[in-house]
Amino acid sequence: MKSGCGVSMKKRALITGVEGQDGYYLARLLARKGYEVFGVVRKKARRSLSGSEEAPAYERIYADMMEFSSLCSCIREIRPDEIYNLAGLSEVPLSWKQPIFTAHVNALGVLRILEAMRLCAPEARFLQSSTSEIFAPSAQPLHEGSAMATRNPYGTAKLYGHWITTNYRESYGLFACAAILFNHESPRRGIEFVTRKISAAAVRIYLGRQKVLELGNLDAVRDWGSAEDYVRAMWLMLQQERPEDFVVATGEPHTVREFASAAFHALGIDLAWEGEGFAETARDQRTGEVLIRVNPALYRFPKEDVIVGNPARAARKLGFLPAHSFHSLVEEIVKSDLSALSEDLR
Ligand code: F7E
Protein backbone atom coordinates (compact mmCIF):
# COMPACT_ATOMS: atom_id res chain seq x y z
CA MET A 1 0.00 0.00 0.00
CA LYS A 2 1.27 3.54 -0.87
CA SER A 3 0.44 6.84 0.79
CA GLY A 4 -0.38 9.97 -1.27
CA CYS A 5 3.28 11.06 -1.40
CA GLY A 6 4.45 7.68 -2.66
CA VAL A 7 5.94 6.49 0.65
CA SER A 8 5.35 2.79 1.19
CA MET A 9 3.07 2.14 4.16
CA LYS A 10 2.33 -1.02 6.10
CA LYS A 11 -1.05 -2.68 5.62
CA ARG A 12 -3.31 -2.29 8.66
CA ALA A 13 -5.37 -5.12 10.08
CA LEU A 14 -8.02 -4.96 12.78
CA ILE A 15 -8.82 -8.15 14.70
CA THR A 16 -11.78 -8.59 17.04
CA GLY A 17 -11.49 -11.48 19.50
CA VAL A 18 -7.74 -10.97 19.42
CA GLU A 19 -7.28 -12.38 22.92
CA GLY A 20 -8.58 -15.83 21.94
CA GLN A 21 -6.72 -18.77 20.42
CA ASP A 22 -7.21 -17.72 16.79
CA GLY A 23 -6.53 -14.06 17.55
CA TYR A 24 -3.12 -14.98 18.93
CA TYR A 25 -2.07 -16.94 15.85
CA LEU A 26 -3.59 -14.48 13.37
CA ALA A 27 -1.97 -11.42 14.99
CA ARG A 28 1.36 -13.22 14.99
CA LEU A 29 1.01 -14.23 11.33
CA LEU A 30 0.04 -10.72 10.20
CA ALA A 31 2.80 -9.06 12.25
CA ARG A 32 5.31 -11.43 10.63
CA LYS A 33 3.94 -10.45 7.23
CA GLY A 34 4.69 -6.82 8.05
CA TYR A 35 1.16 -5.64 8.90
CA GLU A 36 0.39 -3.08 11.56
CA VAL A 37 -1.98 -5.13 13.71
CA PHE A 38 -4.66 -3.67 15.96
CA GLY A 39 -6.53 -5.92 18.37
CA VAL A 40 -9.93 -4.96 19.72
CA VAL A 41 -10.13 -5.46 23.49
CA ARG A 42 -12.95 -4.56 25.85
CA LYS A 43 -11.11 -3.57 28.99
CA LYS A 44 -7.81 -1.95 29.90
CA ALA A 45 -5.29 -4.60 30.97
CA ARG A 46 -5.16 -4.79 34.77
CA ARG A 47 -1.57 -5.89 35.02
CA SER A 48 1.62 -5.56 33.03
CA LEU A 49 3.33 -8.54 31.39
CA SER A 50 5.52 -10.70 33.57
CA GLY A 51 9.11 -11.35 32.44
CA SER A 52 8.43 -14.73 30.78
CA GLU A 53 5.27 -13.62 28.96
CA GLU A 54 5.37 -12.99 25.24
CA ALA A 55 4.44 -9.42 24.24
CA PRO A 56 1.31 -9.42 22.04
CA ALA A 57 1.91 -8.96 18.31
CA TYR A 58 -0.69 -6.18 18.17
CA GLU A 59 -1.60 -2.78 19.49
CA ARG A 60 -4.66 -2.74 21.74
CA ILE A 61 -7.66 -0.70 20.70
CA TYR A 62 -10.63 -0.43 23.03
CA ALA A 63 -14.13 -1.24 21.72
CA ASP A 64 -17.01 -3.59 22.47
CA MET A 65 -18.98 -5.83 20.09
CA MET A 66 -22.18 -4.67 21.88
CA GLU A 67 -21.46 -0.98 21.33
CA PHE A 68 -21.90 0.10 17.71
CA SER A 69 -20.41 3.57 18.23
CA SER A 70 -17.23 2.13 19.74
CA LEU A 71 -16.73 -0.07 16.67
CA CYS A 72 -17.32 2.91 14.36
CA SER A 73 -14.78 5.08 16.20
CA CYS A 74 -12.27 2.29 16.19
CA ILE A 75 -12.64 1.66 12.43
CA ARG A 76 -12.58 5.41 11.71
CA GLU A 77 -9.40 5.80 13.73
CA ILE A 78 -7.50 2.78 12.38
CA ARG A 79 -8.71 2.89 8.75
CA PRO A 80 -7.93 -0.84 8.43
CA ASP A 81 -7.24 -2.52 5.09
CA GLU A 82 -8.47 -5.81 6.54
CA ILE A 83 -10.91 -6.62 9.34
CA TYR A 84 -11.02 -10.10 10.88
CA ASN A 85 -14.07 -10.72 13.07
CA LEU A 86 -13.08 -13.47 15.49
CA ALA A 87 -15.04 -12.18 18.50
CA GLY A 88 -17.74 -14.30 20.04
CA LEU A 89 -18.72 -16.96 22.49
CA SER A 90 -17.30 -20.24 21.19
CA GLU A 91 -18.39 -22.95 23.65
CA VAL A 92 -21.46 -24.75 22.30
CA PRO A 93 -22.76 -25.98 25.75
CA LEU A 94 -22.32 -22.49 27.26
CA SER A 95 -24.53 -21.04 24.52
CA TRP A 96 -27.48 -22.88 26.15
CA LYS A 97 -26.73 -21.12 29.44
CA GLN A 98 -26.18 -17.71 27.81
CA PRO A 99 -28.37 -17.79 24.68
CA ILE A 100 -29.15 -14.08 24.67
CA PHE A 101 -25.54 -12.99 25.14
CA THR A 102 -24.60 -15.47 22.40
CA ALA A 103 -27.07 -13.87 20.00
CA HIS A 104 -25.90 -10.36 20.90
CA VAL A 105 -22.25 -11.09 20.17
CA ASN A 106 -22.23 -13.94 17.64
CA ALA A 107 -25.14 -12.63 15.56
CA LEU A 108 -25.73 -8.91 16.12
CA GLY A 109 -22.02 -8.30 16.79
CA VAL A 110 -21.33 -9.27 13.18
CA LEU A 111 -24.02 -6.89 11.96
CA ARG A 112 -22.62 -4.05 14.10
CA ILE A 113 -19.12 -4.43 12.74
CA LEU A 114 -20.35 -4.81 9.14
CA GLU A 115 -22.42 -1.64 9.52
CA ALA A 116 -19.45 0.15 11.05
CA MET A 117 -17.30 -0.93 8.11
CA ARG A 118 -19.96 0.04 5.54
CA LEU A 119 -20.24 3.52 7.03
CA CYS A 120 -16.63 4.19 7.99
CA ALA A 121 -14.33 2.07 5.78
CA PRO A 122 -16.31 0.48 2.92
CA GLU A 123 -13.14 -0.21 0.97
CA ALA A 124 -11.78 -2.51 3.72
CA ARG A 125 -11.86 -6.31 3.36
CA PHE A 126 -13.82 -8.28 5.94
CA LEU A 127 -13.52 -11.85 7.16
CA GLN A 128 -16.18 -13.46 9.35
CA SER A 129 -15.08 -16.51 11.32
CA SER A 130 -17.97 -18.83 10.57
CA THR A 131 -18.28 -22.42 11.71
CA SER A 132 -19.19 -25.98 10.75
CA GLU A 133 -21.98 -25.69 13.36
CA ILE A 134 -24.10 -23.88 10.72
CA PHE A 135 -24.49 -27.10 8.72
CA ALA A 136 -27.13 -29.79 9.02
CA PRO A 137 -25.40 -33.02 10.11
CA SER A 138 -24.58 -35.26 7.18
CA ALA A 139 -22.78 -38.53 6.67
CA GLN A 140 -21.01 -36.86 3.72
CA PRO A 141 -18.17 -34.33 4.14
CA LEU A 142 -19.68 -30.85 4.28
CA HIS A 143 -18.89 -28.31 1.58
CA GLU A 144 -19.71 -24.68 0.83
CA GLY A 145 -23.04 -25.67 -0.74
CA SER A 146 -24.19 -28.13 1.95
CA ALA A 147 -27.58 -27.66 3.59
CA MET A 148 -27.58 -25.42 6.64
CA ALA A 149 -29.56 -26.16 9.82
CA THR A 150 -28.52 -25.52 13.39
CA ARG A 151 -28.97 -27.42 16.64
CA ASN A 152 -27.97 -24.98 19.37
CA PRO A 153 -27.97 -21.23 20.17
CA TYR A 154 -24.30 -21.02 19.19
CA GLY A 155 -24.90 -22.42 15.70
CA THR A 156 -28.06 -20.38 15.23
CA ALA A 157 -26.33 -17.10 16.10
CA LYS A 158 -23.36 -17.98 13.90
CA LEU A 159 -25.72 -18.78 11.04
CA TYR A 160 -27.07 -15.22 11.26
CA GLY A 161 -23.47 -13.92 11.24
CA HIS A 162 -22.76 -16.06 8.19
CA TRP A 163 -25.77 -14.89 6.19
CA ILE A 164 -25.50 -11.22 7.11
CA THR A 165 -21.93 -11.32 5.78
CA THR A 166 -23.29 -12.75 2.49
CA ASN A 167 -26.05 -10.09 2.43
CA TYR A 168 -23.55 -7.25 2.86
CA ARG A 169 -21.34 -8.68 0.14
CA GLU A 170 -24.17 -9.20 -2.33
CA SER A 171 -26.21 -6.07 -1.63
CA TYR A 172 -23.62 -3.45 -0.74
CA GLY A 173 -20.74 -4.88 -2.80
CA LEU A 174 -18.44 -5.03 0.24
CA PHE A 175 -15.44 -7.35 0.17
CA ALA A 176 -16.90 -9.56 2.90
CA CYS A 177 -16.48 -13.30 3.19
CA ALA A 178 -16.88 -16.13 5.68
CA ALA A 179 -14.30 -18.77 6.59
CA ILE A 180 -16.35 -21.82 7.56
CA LEU A 181 -14.00 -23.20 10.18
CA PHE A 182 -14.22 -26.78 11.36
CA ASN A 183 -12.82 -27.61 14.84
CA HIS A 184 -9.34 -26.15 15.15
CA GLU A 185 -7.05 -26.69 18.07
CA SER A 186 -3.68 -25.74 19.53
CA PRO A 187 -1.87 -25.55 22.86
CA ARG A 188 -3.80 -22.28 23.33
CA ARG A 189 -7.22 -23.94 23.14
CA GLY A 190 -9.38 -23.45 26.23
CA ILE A 191 -9.53 -26.35 28.69
CA GLU A 192 -13.33 -26.58 28.24
CA PHE A 193 -12.89 -28.01 24.72
CA VAL A 194 -12.43 -31.75 24.48
CA THR A 195 -8.93 -31.71 22.94
CA ARG A 196 -7.26 -29.65 25.68
CA LYS A 197 -9.39 -31.36 28.32
CA ILE A 198 -8.01 -34.73 27.18
CA SER A 199 -4.44 -33.48 26.77
CA ALA A 200 -4.26 -31.74 30.15
CA ALA A 201 -5.81 -34.73 31.95
CA ALA A 202 -3.53 -37.23 30.17
CA VAL A 203 -0.52 -35.22 31.32
CA ARG A 204 -1.81 -35.01 34.91
CA ILE A 205 -2.44 -38.78 34.91
CA TYR A 206 1.03 -39.40 33.46
CA LEU A 207 2.57 -37.25 36.22
CA GLY A 208 0.51 -38.98 38.92
CA ARG A 209 -1.62 -35.90 39.66
CA GLN A 210 -4.97 -37.34 38.52
CA LYS A 211 -6.46 -40.83 38.48
CA VAL A 212 -9.24 -40.84 35.88
CA LEU A 213 -10.54 -38.69 33.01
CA GLU A 214 -14.32 -38.50 32.45
CA LEU A 215 -15.63 -37.85 28.95
CA GLY A 216 -18.98 -37.64 27.19
CA ASN A 217 -19.72 -39.16 23.79
CA LEU A 218 -16.62 -41.11 22.72
CA ASP A 219 -18.20 -41.82 19.33
CA ALA A 220 -18.58 -38.15 18.42
CA VAL A 221 -16.66 -37.55 15.19
CA ARG A 222 -14.87 -34.29 14.51
CA ASP A 223 -12.55 -32.95 11.82
CA TRP A 224 -9.75 -31.52 13.97
CA GLY A 225 -7.30 -29.13 12.35
CA SER A 226 -4.69 -26.71 13.61
CA ALA A 227 -5.59 -23.12 14.56
CA GLU A 228 -2.14 -22.02 13.41
CA ASP A 229 -2.89 -23.45 9.95
CA TYR A 230 -6.44 -22.11 9.76
CA VAL A 231 -5.52 -18.45 10.34
CA ARG A 232 -3.35 -18.76 7.22
CA ALA A 233 -6.49 -19.73 5.28
CA MET A 234 -8.27 -16.66 6.68
CA TRP A 235 -5.48 -14.40 5.43
CA LEU A 236 -5.42 -16.10 2.01
CA MET A 237 -9.15 -15.48 1.65
CA LEU A 238 -8.66 -11.73 1.97
CA GLN A 239 -5.88 -11.75 -0.65
CA GLN A 240 -8.18 -13.14 -3.38
CA GLU A 241 -9.47 -11.04 -6.25
CA ARG A 242 -13.10 -11.69 -5.26
CA PRO A 243 -14.70 -12.26 -1.85
CA GLU A 244 -15.87 -15.86 -1.50
CA ASP A 245 -16.70 -18.21 1.37
CA PHE A 246 -14.57 -21.28 1.99
CA VAL A 247 -14.77 -24.40 4.13
CA VAL A 248 -11.56 -24.67 6.17
CA ALA A 249 -11.09 -28.28 7.25
CA THR A 250 -8.79 -31.27 6.93
CA GLY A 251 -11.35 -33.75 5.59
CA GLU A 252 -10.21 -36.34 8.17
CA PRO A 253 -12.77 -37.80 10.57
CA HIS A 254 -11.62 -38.86 14.05
CA THR A 255 -13.62 -39.91 17.08
CA VAL A 256 -13.10 -38.52 20.59
CA ARG A 257 -11.89 -42.03 21.48
CA GLU A 258 -9.17 -41.79 18.79
CA PHE A 259 -8.08 -38.38 20.05
CA ALA A 260 -7.75 -39.78 23.59
CA SER A 261 -5.77 -42.82 22.40
CA ALA A 262 -3.40 -40.55 20.43
CA ALA A 263 -2.93 -38.16 23.38
CA PHE A 264 -2.06 -40.95 25.85
CA HIS A 265 0.13 -42.62 23.21
CA ALA A 266 2.13 -39.38 22.89
CA LEU A 267 3.02 -39.92 26.58
CA GLY A 268 3.95 -43.58 26.06
CA ILE A 269 0.65 -44.92 27.50
CA ASP A 270 -1.30 -47.32 25.27
CA LEU A 271 -5.00 -47.60 26.03
CA ALA A 272 -7.19 -50.71 25.80
CA TRP A 273 -10.89 -49.85 25.29
CA GLU A 274 -13.57 -52.17 26.63
CA GLY A 275 -17.32 -52.14 27.23
CA GLU A 276 -19.96 -50.15 25.38
CA GLY A 277 -21.98 -46.96 25.72
CA PHE A 278 -22.01 -45.44 29.21
CA ALA A 279 -20.08 -48.49 30.50
CA GLU A 280 -17.11 -48.05 28.16
CA THR A 281 -13.71 -47.57 29.79
CA ALA A 282 -10.08 -47.32 28.73
CA ARG A 283 -7.36 -49.09 30.69
CA ASP A 284 -3.62 -48.61 30.66
CA GLN A 285 -2.52 -51.72 28.72
CA ARG A 286 0.54 -52.07 30.94
CA THR A 287 -0.91 -51.56 34.43
CA GLY A 288 -4.58 -52.46 33.81
CA GLU A 289 -5.72 -49.29 35.62
CA VAL A 290 -8.88 -47.58 34.36
CA LEU A 291 -7.81 -44.15 33.05
CA ILE A 292 -10.95 -43.05 31.16
CA ARG A 293 -14.63 -43.57 31.85
CA VAL A 294 -17.84 -42.14 30.44
CA ASN A 295 -19.94 -39.63 32.33
CA PRO A 296 -23.46 -39.50 30.80
CA ALA A 297 -23.86 -35.93 32.12
CA LEU A 298 -21.22 -34.85 29.58
CA TYR A 299 -23.29 -36.08 26.61
CA ARG A 300 -24.89 -33.38 24.49
CA PHE A 301 -28.48 -33.33 23.31
CA PRO A 302 -29.69 -33.42 20.65
CA LYS A 303 -27.23 -36.20 19.91
CA GLU A 304 -24.64 -35.05 17.42
CA ASP A 305 -23.61 -36.77 14.25
CA VAL A 306 -20.41 -36.77 12.30
CA ILE A 307 -19.04 -33.29 11.48
CA VAL A 308 -16.39 -33.49 8.76
CA GLY A 309 -15.51 -30.94 6.09
CA ASN A 310 -14.53 -31.14 2.45
CA PRO A 311 -11.49 -28.89 2.03
CA ALA A 312 -11.18 -29.38 -1.76
CA ARG A 313 -12.28 -25.91 -2.81
CA ALA A 314 -9.87 -24.13 -0.43
CA ALA A 315 -7.05 -26.34 -1.68
CA ARG A 316 -7.90 -25.64 -5.32
CA LYS A 317 -8.65 -21.92 -5.17
CA LEU A 318 -6.57 -20.70 -2.22
CA GLY A 319 -3.76 -23.25 -2.46
CA PHE A 320 -4.47 -23.92 1.22
CA LEU A 321 -3.10 -27.16 2.65
CA PRO A 322 -2.79 -27.72 6.41
CA ALA A 323 0.80 -28.17 7.62
CA HIS A 324 -0.20 -30.24 10.68
CA SER A 325 -1.32 -33.85 10.55
CA PHE A 326 -3.78 -35.16 13.17
CA HIS A 327 -0.95 -36.88 15.08
CA SER A 328 1.47 -33.93 14.92
CA LEU A 329 -1.30 -31.68 16.26
CA VAL A 330 -2.10 -34.03 19.16
CA GLU A 331 1.59 -34.33 20.00
CA GLU A 332 2.12 -30.57 19.93
CA ILE A 333 -0.76 -30.00 22.36
CA VAL A 334 0.33 -32.81 24.71
CA LYS A 335 3.99 -31.72 24.71
CA SER A 336 2.98 -28.17 25.52
CA ASP A 337 0.80 -29.32 28.44
CA LEU A 338 3.57 -31.60 29.66
CA SER A 339 6.14 -28.84 29.71
CA ALA A 340 3.73 -26.34 31.34
CA LEU A 341 2.67 -28.76 34.09
CA SER A 342 6.22 -30.04 34.69
CA GLU A 343 7.30 -26.39 35.03
CA ASP A 344 4.50 -25.72 37.57
CA LEU A 345 5.54 -28.76 39.64
CA ARG A 346 9.20 -27.70 39.71
O1 F7E B 1 -16.44 -30.79 21.44
C1 F7E B 1 -17.44 -34.24 22.35
C2 F7E B 1 -18.51 -33.20 22.17
O2 F7E B 1 -16.33 -28.84 22.97
C3 F7E B 1 -16.00 -31.66 20.43
C4 F7E B 1 -15.84 -24.78 18.93
O3 F7E B 1 -14.64 -24.20 18.47
O4 F7E B 1 -15.79 -26.39 17.18
C5 F7E B 1 -15.87 -26.26 18.59
O5 F7E B 1 -17.08 -26.78 19.09
C6 F7E B 1 -16.75 -32.97 20.54
C7 F7E B 1 -18.26 -32.81 20.71
O6 F7E B 1 -15.98 -28.52 20.48
C8 F7E B 1 -16.54 -34.29 25.86
O7 F7E B 1 -19.80 -33.76 22.41
C9 F7E B 1 -17.09 -35.74 24.34
O8 F7E B 1 -18.87 -33.74 19.87
O9 F7E B 1 -14.23 -29.59 21.79
P1 F7E B 1 -15.69 -29.41 21.75
P2 F7E B 1 -17.30 -28.26 19.60
O10 F7E B 1 -18.51 -28.24 20.42
O11 F7E B 1 -17.26 -29.20 18.44
C10 F7E B 1 -16.83 -25.75 16.42
C11 F7E B 1 -16.50 -25.92 14.95
C12 F7E B 1 -17.03 -24.34 16.82
O12 F7E B 1 -17.35 -23.48 16.00
C13 F7E B 1 -17.01 -24.06 18.28
O13 F7E B 1 -16.84 -22.67 18.53
O14 F7E B 1 -16.31 -33.67 21.69
N1 F7E B 1 -17.10 -34.53 23.76
N2 F7E B 1 -16.75 -35.63 25.64
C14 F7E B 1 -16.77 -33.60 24.66
N3 F7E B 1 -16.64 -32.25 24.55
C15 F7E B 1 -16.25 -31.57 25.66
N4 F7E B 1 -16.09 -30.24 25.58
N5 F7E B 1 -16.03 -32.22 26.86
C16 F7E B 1 -16.17 -33.59 27.02
O15 F7E B 1 -15.94 -34.13 28.09
Side-chain angles (χ1 to χ4, degrees):
M1 186 184 148
K2 300 256 181 190
S3 75
C5 51
V7 179
S8 169
M9 275 172 34
K10 286 179 161 192
K11 266 192 173 182
R12 293 157 84 85
L14 184 69
I15 306 176
T16 71
V18 74
E19 293 174 305
Q21 167 189 261
D22 297 1
Y24 169 83
Y25 288 109
L26 181 62
R28 194 178 72 173
L29 175 81
L30 297 178
R32 285 178 180 167
K33 287 189 179 294
Y35 280 67
E36 255 185 281
V37 187
F38 298 88
V40 176
V41 295
R42 283 176 59 218
K43 289 189 221 152
K44 300 252 185 240
R46 261 188 247 128
R47 56 176 187 89
S48 49
L49 290 177
S50 71
S52 59
E53 263 177 277
E54 211 178 316
Y58 57 89
E59 194 177 310
R60 287 191 169 87
I61 175 139
Y62 298 95
D64 194 316
M65 295 305 288
M66 309 281 253
E67 196 69 66
F68 174 66
S69 62
S70 74
L71 294 170
C72 271
S73 330
C74 149
I75 290 179
R76 218 179 279 124
E77 188 188 326
I78 306 293
R79 306 291 308 174
D81 299 289
E82 295 172 12
I83 300 174
Y84 295 85
N85 184 38
L86 313 183
L89 178 142
S90 57
E91 300 91 334
V92 172
L94 187 60
S95 75
W96 286 108
K97 299 212 162 85
Q98 301 181 3
I100 297 168
F101 175 78
T102 303
H104 270 298
V105 180
N106 293 13
L108 288 180
V110 188
L111 176 58
R112 289 186 197 102
I113 193 153
L114 277 167
E115 263 298 271
M117 171 170 142
R118 180 178 79 82
L119 297 171
C120 308
E123 68 297 338
R125 295 181 167 209
F126 177 85
L127 183 127
Q128 165 62 6
S129 85
S130 192
T131 167
S132 52
E133 287 285 323
I134 63 174
F135 290 125
S138 160
Q140 299 305 314
L142 299 154
H143 56 83
E144 291 78 0
S146 292
M148 294 179 186
T150 58
R151 297 171 299 280
N152 50 61
Y154 170 80
T156 302
K158 289 295 261 187
L159 185 59
Y160 176 90
H162 184 89
W163 278 117
I164 200 69
T165 302
T166 310
N167 298 161
Y168 271 56
R169 173 173 72 229
E170 291 178 349
S171 296
Y172 290 123
L174 297 184
F175 193 111
C177 48
I180 310 172
L181 304 164
F182 284 60
N183 295 54
H184 48 290
E185 317 297 313
S186 77
R188 294 190 159 255
R189 190 57 143 155
I191 204 83
E192 57 283 5
F193 296 95
V194 78
T195 52
R196 270 297 311 294
K197 178 179 172 180
I198 292 172
S199 164
V203 165
R204 280 198 299 270
I205 290 171
Y206 172 75
L207 294 173
R209 298 276 149 166
Q210 184 174 330
K211 288 260 174 248
V212 180
L213 162 64
E214 289 191 343
L215 290 171
N217 186 1
L218 296 167
D219 289 317
V221 173
R222 285 292 187 275
D223 175 338
W224 281 293
S226 142
E228 193 180 355
D229 286 342
Y230 286 13
V231 298
R232 194 159 38 82
M234 295 181 193
W235 175 76
L236 283 168
M237 285 176 62
L238 293 197
Q239 313 315 309
Q240 300 305 296
E241 244 168 63
R242 290 188 308 122
E244 283 180 80
D245 301 337
F246 285 93
V247 157
V248 183
T250 71
E252 264 190 50
H254 291 281
T255 59
V256 168
R257 187 184 297 101
E258 279 167 11
F259 193 99
S261 288
F264 279 86
H265 182 76
L267 294 162
I269 302 172
D270 288 318
L271 297 178
W273 296 90
E274 55 194 50
E276 270 178 39
F278 295 159
E280 186 167 353
T281 57
R283 289 182 191 275
D284 181 334
Q285 278 187 17
R286 198 173 51 82
T287 65
E289 272 178 75
V290 171
L291 302 186
I292 299 180
R293 62 174 170 246
V294 172
N295 179 347
L298 296 170
Y299 265 61
R300 290 187 193 168
F301 296 96
K303 193 170 177 294
E304 309 145 282
D305 291 293
V306 179
I307 304 184
V308 181
N310 177 345
R313 197 159 161 277
R316 196 175 67 249
K317 294 190 114 177
L318 301 175
F320 173 71
L321 292 175
H324 289 72
S325 67
F326 173 72
H327 287 283
S328 72
L329 177 65
V330 176
E331 270 170 35
E332 183 187 341
I333 300 172
V334 170
K335 275 193 186 142
S336 157
D337 275 328
L338 181 60
S339 83
L341 194 57
S342 309
E343 183 74 18
D344 282 356
L345 296 176
R346 223 170 269 152

